[in-house]
Amino acid sequence: MELRKNRIKQRLRDGKHVIAIENMNDADSVEQFAPNNPHCFWFEGEHFIVNPQNIGDLTRAADLINATSIVRVPRPEYQLIYHAFDLGAQGVAVPHVKSRADAELVVKSSKFSPIGQRGMFTSRQGIGVEDYFRKANDETFILVFIEDLEAIENLDEILEVDNIDVFFVGPGDLSQELGHIGEQNHPEVNKVVQETINRITKKGRVAGTVANIYSYEWAMQTGARFFLSGTLDWIGKGFNEFKELSEKL
Amino acid sequence: MKIRRNIVKERLHQGKTVSCLAAWGYSGPDHIERLGPFQPHGVFLEGEHGNIDPPNISNFTRSCDIIGATPIVRINQNDQGVIYRTLDLGALGIAVPHVNNKEEAENVVEGGKFYPLGKRGSFTSRQGIGVENYHDLANDQTMLIVLLEDIVAVENLDSILEVDHIDVFMVPSGDLAQSMGLPGQANHPDVQKVVDETMRRITKKGRITGAIANKDNVKNLYDNGATFFLCDPRPYMSEGFEKYQEFAKRNIK
């Protein structure tokens, strides 16, 4: 059996954008999204219900509709990261990476030797795949969050770490430290996000950030190519418009 | 403690429109709770065709309760035990598919209402915890919806409409089309004609009707008498995703 390709790694290599869809931590909902041919689903394990009990079901649904699955793990921790891969994630997103050592730990946890020391186990993605351990590294996707001022200070050395596919500038946590809590798109937050994205892309690396219903046009013109977007925004817009119209009848 | 009010039922009997979000393609108790800011009047939980069943009904209905939306469960058989167990677990509304004649409509009421209106099994629902006189108050807050979705039900409409205590009579076109020999052609003019006529007959008798609605068809549905609207979130999600996609394709080289 062939190892399942990582669609978003290929898209990013081809210079294309990726939209990762969140708010869909339900396998049946993921599968229903198939007609839209989504690139990628984002399963939320830092702030939401995703955990080892449901990663298999969620990522299987994404596999079946040919969308790449990313699991955000709760923290940069060795076993947590490879456990997500073992259960079927094709990518991990790791929050609060603040230093070169943190970034290196993420790579070590995600890649088998010779790149890293991911715990030896055949993932769901490796069932029946010949030579899985030699092929897996090519199809695993790594995203690290740059979302602390400390990380921005250490950005140059973090960007020296190879095998990280996306450096995601997280405006939510940055807004706290910048004194604008909850204002993800406050001009000062936008300024820091934009400058950080510039530094990432200048080094030839791929940047990502949040693209919500208020910010997507801005975000998609920052130079970032990876975007995190939620279905809840879209449902809210559609439903609010409907409700308003129906109440006027 | 006071019994939780059925917002959807209340609005419908006041002659107001109701917008219910159907948990189709967006589901899970923690996901439904996040619909709170949009203030849906009700949430339609899919147990005829989807995964809603006794082990998860209480978690799903609790998430509706906490955002003030009336939980409505579509069950998959017209069975009194299924109807009242679904109410016991926390549903405030039951939608029953394929109700085809007066007896079947009466069965829904018998299963959905306590004595003297029916013979719902005696048990205190999650909705009745700590409520004094729950058994006297429950009938007022439970809502019953029947789906008239076979052409035989349309033929039997007059006698079905004689049955009291059914709040909404819906005329879904998908199954109706099948029963008219037009499978997969819910929008066929012959089917739509029957739907429109049936909805008008329902409201003419002073009863309430409803349909799956969107921005484009809601005016027409309302003109034909419908006030209970089910909103499918899948087109909203699709529209949002496509809009971002197009913007990205235009702006990212």
Side-chain angles (χ1 to χ4, degrees):
Chain A
M1 286 166 80
E2 290 288 313
L3 180 59
R4 183 169 285 106
K5 296 288 178 207
N6 190 312
R7 187 171 164 198
I8 64 169
K9 268 179 95 90
Q10 187 62 49
R11 282 187 69 88
L12 293 176
R13 273 197 297 268
D14 294 343
K16 293 178 179 165
H17 73 279
V18 166
I19 298 175
I21 299 176
E22 66 170 343
N23 310 134
M24 300 287 267
N25 305 285
D26 173 71
D28 291 317
S29 302
V30 166
E31 208 175 2
Q32 292 254 348
F33 211 82
N36 290 97
N37 192 17
H39 314 138
C40 175
F41 282 94
W42 177 283
F43 299 122
E44 185 51 62
E46 184 196 6
H47 297 292
F48 211 59
I49 59 174
V50 174
N51 73 93
Q53 296 297 325
N54 56 21
I55 291 173
D57 292 332
L58 292 169
T59 59
R60 222 177 344 261
D63 288 347
L64 274 172
I65 68 164
N66 191 30
T68 301
S69 55
I70 295 177
V71 170
R72 173 148 67 170
V73 296
R75 56 189 172 271
E77 189 185 295
Y78 184 51
Q79 285 87 354
L80 267 181
I81 291 171
Y82 65 69
H83 198 187
F85 281 121
D86 294 342
L87 289 162
Q90 285 190 303
V92 292
V94 184
H96 295 291
V97 168
K98 295 180 193 172
S99 64
R100 183 184 183 132
D102 287 347
E104 284 172 345
L105 171 70
V106 173
V107 175
K108 177 190 162 192
S109 317
S110 304
K111 302 288 184 185
F112 291 117
S113 171
I115 299 171
Q117 286 285 312
R118 173 177 163 186
M120 282 294 290
F121 186 82
T122 301
S123 158
R124 197 174 65 60
Q125 298 291 351
I127 298 170
V129 175
E130 248 180 88
D131 244 356
Y132 170 68
F133 296 108
R134 289 182 207 283
K135 295 174 182 164
N137 289 349
D138 293 340
E139 305 301 337
T140 47
F141 168 94
I142 302 177
L143 177 151
V144 297
F145 267 80
I146 305 297
E147 54 183 343
D148 302 272
L149 293 179
E150 189 186 337
I152 291 176
E153 272 168 39
N154 295 328
L155 188 62
D156 288 336
E157 58 171 52
I158 293 173
L159 289 172
E160 283 169 15
V161 179
D162 286 336
N163 299 299
I164 292 173
D165 297 282
V166 172
F167 297 82
F168 190 99
V169 188
D173 276 286
L174 280 171
S175 80
Q176 286 200 64
E177 272 193 284
L178 292 167
H180 302 290
I181 188 163
E183 295 181 74
Q184 284 200 19
N185 291 104
H186 187 284
E188 281 182 48
V189 179
N190 278 356
K191 184 167 172 278
V192 171
V193 171
Q194 179 68 71
E195 284 168 3
T196 310
I197 289 171
N198 291 347
R199 287 172 67 190
I200 294 165
T201 53
K202 212 172 156 187
K203 286 271 171 77
R205 310 301 294 266
V206 178
T209 195
V210 169
N212 63 36
I213 206 156
Y214 308 106
S215 71
Y216 77 95
E217 292 184 342
W218 176 81
M220 287 175 176
Q221 297 177 87
T222 54
R225 283 197 285 130
F226 180 99
F227 307 100
L228 177 58
S229 303
T231 55
L232 203 50
D233 275 354
W234 303 328
I235 294 173
K237 181 174 183 288
F239 183 70
N240 284 336
E241 286 171 2
F242 175 85
K243 202 172 159 208
E244 206 175 302
L245 187 66
S246 69
E247 280 172 8
K248 278 190 203 138
L249 291 170
Chain B
M1 285 166 78
K2 289 211 164 162
I3 194 165
R4 182 167 284 105
R5 283 159 45 211
N6 187 319
I7 306 298
V8 169
K9 184 172 176 177
E10 213 168 277
R11 286 183 66 92
L12 288 172
H13 291 287
Q14 288 166 352
K16 293 178 182 163
T17 59
V18 159
S19 304
C20 279
L21 211 110
W24 293 325
Y26 178 88
S27 190
D30 288 293
H31 295 72
I32 284 169
E33 190 176 0
R34 281 172 193 272
L35 298 171
F38 317 139
Q39 297 181 281
H41 302 123
V43 174
F44 190 83
L45 302 165
E46 185 54 81
E48 185 196 4
H49 300 290
N51 68 355
I52 302 297
D53 69 346
N56 59 24
I57 290 173
S58 42
N59 285 325
F60 270 95
T61 58
R62 246 190 305 274
S63 72
C64 296
D65 288 346
I66 210 162
I67 64 169
T70 298
I72 299 165
V73 176
R74 172 150 71 172
I75 58 175
N76 75 351
Q77 54 184 318
N78 185 356
D79 177 279
Q80 292 190 22
V82 173
I83 292 169
Y84 63 72
R85 187 182 190 192
T86 305
L87 293 169
D88 293 342
L89 289 164
L92 286 174
I94 303 282
V96 183
H98 295 288
V99 171
N100 285 339
N101 56 44
K102 186 175 182 173
E103 291 69 37
E104 289 176 6
E106 285 170 341
N107 191 61
V108 173
V109 178
E110 271 193 19
K113 300 289 182 183
F114 290 120
Y115 181 88
L117 307 180
K119 40 185 190 187
R120 173 177 166 186
S122 186
F123 185 83
T124 301
S125 159
R126 196 174 66 61
Q127 298 290 355
I129 298 170
V131 175
E132 255 181 82
N133 296 329
Y134 171 68
H135 284 68
D136 296 330
L137 304 172
N139 286 348
D140 289 342
Q141 304 307 330
T142 48
M143 182 175 70
L144 301 175
I145 300 170
V146 297
L147 308 186
L148 311 177
E149 51 189 341
D150 299 275
I151 196 70
V152 62
V154 175
E155 285 158 15
N156 293 328
L157 185 66
D158 287 332
S159 60
I160 293 172
L161 289 173
E162 285 168 13
V163 181
D164 285 335
H165 308 293
I166 291 172
D167 299 284
V168 182
F169 299 80
M170 291 183 79
V171 195
S173 51
D175 277 289
L176 190 66
Q178 281 201 72
S179 75
M180 293 172 67
L182 297 162
Q185 297 183 64
N187 294 320
H188 191 284
D190 292 354
V191 178
Q192 283 307 315
K193 185 163 171 275
V194 173
V195 171
D196 291 351
E197 280 172 6
T198 308
M199 291 202 301
R200 285 197 296 267
R201 283 171 67 193
I202 292 166
T203 51
K204 208 171 161 193
K205 285 271 171 79
R207 309 303 292 267
I208 295 164
T209 190
I212 297 171
N214 56 49
K215 279 191 286 181
D216 298 328
N217 70 4
V218 67
K219 173 81 171 72
N220 182 53
L221 289 168
Y222 183 77
D223 289 344
N224 281 311
T227 50
F228 176 80
F229 301 125
L230 280 185
C231 298
D232 183 347
R234 289 169 295 189
Y236 306 151
M237 293 192 280
S238 177
E239 201 180 310
F241 179 64
E242 293 310 327
K243 202 169 156 189
Y244 285 24
Q245 277 280 72
E246 273 167 37
F247 191 87
K249 281 178 194 160
R250 274 205 312 276
N251 289 280
I252 298 168
K253 303 291 174 217

